Coordinates of all heavy atoms in Angstrom, one line a residue:
M1 N -124.4 -63.1 29.2 CA -125.1 -62.1 29.8 C -126.6 -61.9 29.4 O -127.4 -61.5 30.2 CB -124.3 -60.8 29.4 CG -122.9 -60.7 30.0 SD -122.8 -60.5 31.8 CE -123.2 -58.8 31.9
F2 N -126.8 -62.1 28.2 CA -128.2 -62.1 27.7 C -129.1 -63.1 28.5 O -130.3 -62.9 28.8 CB -128.3 -62.3 26.1 CG -127.8 -61.2 25.3 CD1 -126.9 -61.5 24.2 CD2 -128.0 -59.9 25.6 CE1 -126.3 -60.5 23.5 CE2 -127.6 -58.8 24.8 CZ -126.6 -59.1 23.8
A3 N -128.5 -64.2 28.7 CA -129.3 -65.3 29.4 C -129.4 -64.9 30.9 O -130.5 -65.4 31.5 CB -128.6 -66.6 29.1
H4 N -128.4 -64.4 31.5 CA -128.4 -64.2 33.0 C -129.3 -62.9 33.4 O -130.0 -63.0 34.4 CB -127.1 -63.9 33.5 CG -127.0 -63.9 35.0 ND1 -127.0 -65.0 35.7 CD2 -126.7 -62.9 35.7 CE1 -126.9 -64.7 36.9 NE2 -126.7 -63.4 37.1
F5 N -129.3 -61.9 32.5 CA -130.0 -60.6 33.1 C -131.3 -60.4 32.2 O -131.2 -60.3 30.9 CB -129.1 -59.4 32.8 CG -127.9 -59.4 33.8 CD1 -126.6 -59.8 33.4 CD2 -128.2 -59.2 35.1 CE1 -125.6 -59.8 34.3 CE2 -126.9 -59.3 36.0 CZ -125.8 -59.6 35.6
P6 N -132.5 -60.5 32.8 CA -133.6 -60.3 32.2 C -133.8 -59.0 31.3 O -134.3 -59.0 30.2 CB -134.8 -60.4 33.2 CG -134.1 -61.1 34.3 CD -132.6 -60.7 34.2
Y7 N -133.3 -57.9 31.7 CA -133.3 -56.6 31.0 C -132.0 -56.6 30.2 O -131.1 -56.0 30.7 CB -133.6 -55.4 32.0 CG -134.3 -54.4 31.3 CD1 -135.7 -54.2 31.6 CD2 -133.7 -53.6 30.4 CE1 -136.3 -53.2 31.0 CE2 -134.4 -52.6 29.7 CZ -135.8 -52.4 30.0 OH -136.5 -51.4 29.4
S8 N -132.1 -56.9 29.0 CA -130.9 -56.9 28.1 C -131.2 -56.3 26.7 O -132.4 -56.3 26.2 CB -130.4 -58.4 27.9 OG -131.4 -59.2 27.3
V9 N -130.3 -55.6 26.2 CA -130.4 -54.9 24.9 C -129.3 -55.3 24.0 O -128.2 -55.5 24.5 CB -130.4 -53.4 25.2 CG1 -130.5 -52.6 23.9 CG2 -131.5 -53.0 26.3
G10 N -129.6 -55.4 22.8 CA -128.6 -55.6 21.8 C -128.5 -54.4 20.9 O -129.5 -53.8 20.5
V11 N -127.3 -53.8 20.6 CA -127.2 -52.9 19.4 C -127.5 -53.4 18.2 O -127.4 -54.6 18.0 CB -125.8 -52.2 19.7 CG1 -125.8 -51.2 20.8 CG2 -124.7 -53.2 19.6
A12 N -127.9 -52.5 17.2 CA -128.4 -53.1 15.9 C -127.5 -54.0 15.2 O -128.0 -55.0 14.5 CB -128.7 -51.8 15.0
N13 N -126.1 -53.9 15.4 CA -125.3 -54.8 14.7 C -125.1 -56.2 15.3 O -124.3 -56.9 14.8 CB -123.8 -54.1 14.7 CG -123.3 -53.6 16.0 OD1 -123.9 -52.6 16.4 ND2 -122.4 -54.2 16.6
I14 N -126.0 -56.5 16.3 CA -126.1 -57.9 16.8 C -127.0 -58.8 15.7 O -126.8 -59.9 15.9 CB -126.7 -57.9 18.2 CG1 -126.5 -59.2 18.8 CG2 -128.2 -57.6 18.1 CD1 -127.0 -59.3 20.3
A15 N -127.6 -58.1 14.9 CA -128.4 -58.9 13.9 C -127.8 -60.2 13.4 O -128.5 -61.4 13.3 CB -129.0 -58.1 12.8
P16 N -126.5 -60.2 12.9 CA -126.0 -61.4 12.3 C -125.8 -62.5 13.4 O -125.7 -63.7 13.0 CB -124.6 -61.0 11.7 CG -124.7 -59.5 11.6 CD -125.6 -59.0 12.7
F17 N -125.9 -62.2 14.6 CA -125.6 -63.3 15.7 C -127.0 -63.8 16.2 O -126.9 -64.8 17.0 CB -124.8 -62.7 16.8 CG -123.4 -62.3 16.5 CD1 -123.1 -61.0 16.1 CD2 -122.4 -63.2 16.4 CE1 -121.9 -60.6 15.7 CE2 -121.1 -62.8 16.1 CZ -120.8 -61.6 15.8
L18 N -128.0 -63.2 15.9 CA -129.3 -63.5 16.6 C -129.6 -65.0 16.4 O -130.2 -65.6 17.3 CB -130.5 -62.6 16.1 CG -130.5 -61.2 16.5 CD1 -131.5 -60.2 15.9 CD2 -130.4 -61.1 18.2
D19 N -129.5 -65.5 15.3 CA -130.0 -66.9 15.0 C -129.2 -67.9 15.7 O -129.6 -69.2 16.0 CB -129.9 -67.3 13.5 CG -130.9 -66.5 12.7 OD1 -132.0 -66.1 13.4 OD2 -130.8 -66.4 11.5
S20 N -128.0 -67.6 16.3 CA -127.1 -68.5 16.9 C -127.2 -68.3 18.5 O -126.4 -69.0 19.2 CB -125.6 -68.4 16.5 OG -125.1 -67.0 16.8
L21 N -128.1 -67.3 19.0 CA -128.1 -66.9 20.3 C -129.3 -67.9 21.0 O -130.4 -67.6 20.7 CB -128.3 -65.5 20.5 CG -127.2 -64.6 20.3 CD1 -127.5 -63.2 20.5 CD2 -126.0 -64.9 21.4
P22 N -129.0 -68.6 22.0 CA -130.2 -69.4 22.7 C -131.0 -68.6 23.4 O -132.2 -68.8 23.7 CB -129.5 -70.5 23.5 CG -128.1 -70.0 23.7 CD -127.8 -69.1 22.4
H23 N -130.4 -67.3 23.9 CA -131.2 -66.4 24.6 C -130.8 -65.1 24.1 O -129.9 -64.4 24.5 CB -130.8 -66.5 26.1 CG -131.2 -67.7 26.7 ND1 -132.5 -68.0 27.2 CD2 -130.5 -68.9 27.1 CE1 -132.6 -69.2 27.7 NE2 -131.2 -69.8 27.7
P24 N -131.6 -64.5 23.0 CA -131.4 -63.3 22.5 C -131.6 -62.1 23.4 O -132.4 -62.3 24.5 CB -132.2 -63.2 21.3 CG -133.3 -64.1 21.6 CD -132.8 -65.2 22.4

């Protein structure tokens, strides 16, 4: 979903996953 939709938001608890996301 982050890769597909340009306007994307993560809630703060996404922080541990950021390094593994090719499209944060």
Side-chain angles (χ1 to χ4, degrees):
M1 296 292 284
F2 291 135
H4 188 75
F5 293 104
Y7 208 100
S8 60
V9 178
V11 286
N13 44 294
I14 198 174
F17 296 94
L18 287 177
D19 289 340
S20 62
L21 288 173
H23 297 279

